[in-house]
Amino acid sequence: MARASLPNKRGSCQSPPPMRVVNYYADAGLDRVGHRRKDPAWIADQLVNPATRFVACWRNQNLVVASEPRPLLLEFRQIEAFGGEPVLLGMRGEHAIFAVDLSSHEAPLKVLGLEDHAEFMDLRRIGPLLARDEGSILAYARGMLWWHQRHRFCGVCGAPAANSDSGHLRVCTNPDCRTQHFPRTDPAVIMLVHDGERCLLGRQAAWPQGMHSTLAGFVEPGESLEEAVAREVKEETAIEVEDIIYHSSQPWPFPSSIMLGFHARAATTEIRVDPTELESARWFDRGFLLAHEDDDEFRLPRRDSIARRLIEDWLQR
Ligand SMILES: [Zn+2]
């Protein structure tokens, strides 16, 4: 990672541009064609185009070929009978990709005739096994459809909210209200805190056995990202931090977050764990982490998480 630098008077940068870090579930390889979402005729053409594909979700699970796994995308003729309102995800080359929610049906695989070789699976179980762009598209679809499920009614007046802009907007149907509701993403900070040769990892009781990870928490209203980093670390472990430097971000639509990753240097070293947040927190030597192989005593977070990326990038320094 590197710090960003400002252009000089000639427009060139005074130091090399920052390395671009692409985390799992980012960079789906789609053109989101935001300008097309308000064009009903174009959307209608795309829906029935034989080259268009549909990412099907059912109760927050994604449709995959179970034996591999890999995404199983559907065609319009397969989803037509289900009704509903597909959400335009974007264009992959010349072909449109939509998300479609089959949750109102008890057994969509039976209707589709796919019971023998496809199933709906939780993306968090299979994400690292998928090609990165495929995992990103499935995550995007899941996040959009979850938002629609949870925002059927206007939060201002309680009237039904109608789908608009090919699924990227819901508008209150009460003519006296007409409030617009946009898809929501909740920012959370996640931070690798270190003191040079040791890093601070915590553990929550609900995590898989032995798993330790970086600290994290949601950004609160009226708070900068750097303030959120410092506050969360202090609340959970009583450690004070400085030199808070942005690393990278990761969409985490499980159900609706974006993780904003940082490295930060510890200004104090004495840990006092908040037991309502963490089961434990400890300093781990760089050498221990480099030599360790995951087991039930200690394991690092899953490989598709930005937490793992923050730790591994620090270990490589
Ligand atoms: Zn309203």
Side-chain angles (χ1 to χ4, degrees), residues 26-317:
D27 203 358
L30 294 177
D31 178 350
R32 295 194 175 212
V33 290
H35 61 293
R36 290 288 203 181
R37 295 171 187 163
K38 294 180 182 293
D39 184 346
W42 184 84
I43 295 294
D45 285 346
Q46 298 306 315
L47 282 172
V48 299
N49 187 323
T52 292
R53 292 293 179 269
F54 295 81
V55 180
C57 291
W58 182 74
R59 302 178 187 179
N60 292 324
Q61 298 181 312
N62 292 92
L63 182 61
V64 297
V65 178
S67 58
E68 300 191 25
R70 64 177 168 80
L72 179 58
L73 305 186
L74 302 178
E75 301 176 21
F76 182 71
R77 61 180 178 80
Q78 294 173 289
I79 63 104
E80 188 176 11
F82 287 94
E85 296 175 311
V87 173
L88 176 66
L89 299 181
M91 301 295 290
R92 186 162 64 182
E94 299 297 313
H95 310 307
I97 307 284
F98 287 83
V100 60
D101 191 350
L102 308 183
S103 298
S104 62
H105 298 260
E106 278 304 315
L109 289 180
K110 191 173 181 182
V111 177
L112 288 163
L114 296 172
E115 292 163 295
D116 290 340
H117 71 287
E119 64 180 291
F120 287 96
M121 298 183 75
D122 187 338
L123 184 57
R124 288 171 297 183
R125 284 179 52 203
I126 57 170
L129 304 176
L130 303 176
R132 284 195 171 215
D133 59 339
E134 291 178 336
S136 301
I137 291 173
L138 297 197
Y140 178 18
R142 178 186 153 129
M144 288 297 293
L145 296 177
W146 186 89
W147 176 72
H148 280 282
Q149 291 166 12
R150 298 301 180 100
H151 293 81
R152 299 198 179 284
F153 296 92
C154 176
V156 178
C157 75
N163 197 354
S164 181
D165 291 21
S166 194
H168 290 263
L169 177 66
R170 295 189 75 88
V171 181
C172 178
T173 54
N174 175 357
D176 294 329
C177 180
R178 302 293 295 168
T179 299
Q180 296 184 328
H181 303 276
F182 292 91
R184 172 175 169 167
T185 297
D186 300 320
V189 290
I190 182 165
M191 41 277 174
L192 187 286
V193 177
H194 66 92
D195 69 354
E197 283 306 304
R198 302 181 302 168
C199 73
L200 177 63
L201 301 179
R203 169 169 171 75
Q204 295 181 12
W207 287 352
Q209 190 170 0
M211 192 183 106
H212 291 70
S213 187
T214 54
L215 306 182
F218 285 105
V219 182
E220 296 185 349
E223 183 176 54
S224 73
L225 302 181
E226 293 84 353
E227 288 172 318
V229 168
R231 175 183 55 75
E232 285 287 346
V233 175
K234 189 168 184 182
E235 284 178 359
E236 295 185 4
T237 64
I239 297 293
E240 309 250 9
V241 296
E242 58 191 8
D243 295 340
I244 298 166
I245 298 174
Y246 176 72
H247 178 279
S248 62
S249 64
Q250 179 180 39
W252 195 253
F254 308 112
S256 59
S257 295
I258 181 165
M259 308 303 293
L260 305 161
F262 292 83
H263 283 165
R265 178 173 284 275
T268 64
T269 58
E270 184 180 349
I271 298 170
R272 290 195 306 279
V273 170
D274 176 353
T276 65
E277 300 262 7
L278 295 174
E279 180 182 79
S280 65
R282 285 169 47 200
W283 291 106
F284 289 88
D285 289 328
R286 184 190 297 269
F288 168 82
L289 294 174
L290 285 169
H292 188 80
E293 293 187 10
D294 289 349
D295 59 29
D296 285 347
E297 292 297 314
F298 178 87
R299 66 180 70 244
L300 287 173
R302 45 190 292 164
R303 293 189 179 279
D304 61 344
S305 67
I306 188 174
R308 182 72 173 246
R309 186 70 178 270
L310 289 167
I311 296 167
E312 291 186 343
D313 279 5
W314 176 75
L315 289 174
Q316 297 307 317
R317 287 184 179 180

